[in-house]
Amino acid sequence: MKRVGIEVSAAIAEAAKLARVEVISAYPITPQTHIVERLAELVADGELEAVYMNVESEHSALSACVGAAAAGARTFTSTSAQGLELMHEILFIASSLRLPIVMVLVNRALSAPLSIWCDHSDVMAARDCGWIMLFCENGQEAVDSVIMAYRIAEDRRVLLPVMVNIDGFTLSHVIEPVEFPEQELVDSFLPPYNPLFTLNPERPVTMGAYGMPEIYTEAKYAQEMAIKGSKAVVKEVMEEFGRVFGRRYNIIETYNLDGAESAFFALGTINENIKTAIDALREKGKNIGLISLRLFRPFPSEELIEILKNLKRLMVIERAMPQGAENTPLFNEISSLAFHNRLEIQLENYIAGLGGRDVDPQEFITIATNPFQKDGKMNYKVIGVRG
Amino acid sequence: MAKPMESYRWYELNVGCVIDEPGNSIVYKTGDWRIMRPQTDYSKCTKCGLCWLFCPDNAMKPNEQGFFAPDLDYCKGCGICAQECKFEAIQMVEDRK
């Protein structure tokens, strides 16, 4: 495996090529654009044997993927923020029809005010669409996650779409050293997609039929059991990926957590800054760790309980602003876990890095050394807000 | 899906609720939300077949004598047949089940 310096967006396009995608359908939107531009080039230059569909919107982009996946093709799409919102109704259809589409979501803030910069308000608004959701911290993880995503999605026990989340600009537009696996190795890890049902005139089937009240509950329950059951498959695939390619991933990543009494909890690239803060805090003798999720949907509850049991304090860092909610999405999951499992842990909720705002490691040092006291107005503290 | 919907368990459904058995709509009687039904006055019916032509559910069917009568398993009582009949042979009447 050769190590090359490459923009992460281009690296993701190369990963889709390694996965031998057959249909790509996407509409360019900042900061996702470079991924689909590079894929269009690969197809135009004959380097990738796939159909690149030019569509007029993200709604069509995902609809085309749904159709192509239903016909039995391995499909890829990518979007950001408003594009994901335009896809929203199709997100549910893709997961309910159990189509193993892989989408790279380049995380970006939602309008208004118009922002092209990174935050997680797009993914959090789509968190309950029935997609498996993976998060990445760096370019290598993004490349590996795209390959793993197809293996997970197409597993007969899963058959669900997978969203690979990468932070806009802070990851998508950064040039990083990436090791690309050999095509033969990827081929052995990722066999051609063998669909269970396809739209085929030789053997006609109906997809997306009407679900009367007598059957809808059962249909949704079956879907829920599939996504809950996918966690075991995700673990299995990550383990096999480690055996084949030598890079090991876990559904939950931790940093300096052995013997730590308190920890940060966050998603995406912000973890790199938190790690810098942790290193500085460790030098001062404070034993503090980090928990980050590589797998956000299905939520890895059992595994998290085991980790949280040993902690006294957890600082949840959310990169999205919930409007009018009791708490932030990530915090709601954690506090629900803590309450129902009677965990004695102090939970604190912080919002940081909205709309691409830089969060200095010093901020995390301040958070770690000064526990947030609720003043009765807000359940969370917004880092960096002037006022 | 050849059995009544109520008897399906969640784990018996096809992945993605795909229906892999063509023609299963025949099994389901879809006329059960009807509140009105067409009644044909055979003394006025000319067997022209307009009701059959316009019925959106193909529920108007010729009987042995060539007159048209609704198939109540599928008729939803929309009243299009009564509207289209040029000879006022079809009246919509309350359906008592």
Side-chain angles (χ1 to χ4, degrees), chain A residues 96 98 205-206 209 214 219 221, chain B residues 5-6 10 15-19:
Chain A
S96 308
R98 309 279 300 274
V205 298
T206 302
E214 293 91 329
Y221 192 81
Chain B
M5 264 187 269
E6 299 81 42
W10 67 266
V15 167
C17 289
V18 164
I19 299 170

Side-chain angles (χ1 to χ4, degrees), chain A residues 96-98 159 196-197 203-207 209 212 214-215 218-219 221-222 225, chain B residues 1 5-6 8-11 13-22 24 32-33:
Chain A
S96 308
L97 292 183
R98 309 279 300 274
L159 288 173
L196 192 55
F197 297 107
R203 190 170 173 266
V205 298
T206 302
M207 292 188 187
M212 296 288 280
E214 293 91 329
I215 209 87
E218 281 69 24
Y221 192 81
M225 295 309 277
Chain B
M1 275 214 186
M5 264 187 269
E6 299 81 42
Y8 273 91
R9 309 295 177 104
W10 67 266
Y11 47 83
L13 296 171
N14 272 335
V15 167
C17 289
V18 164
I19 299 170
D20 58 350
E21 196 185 334
N24 69 80
D32 60 354
W33 70 67

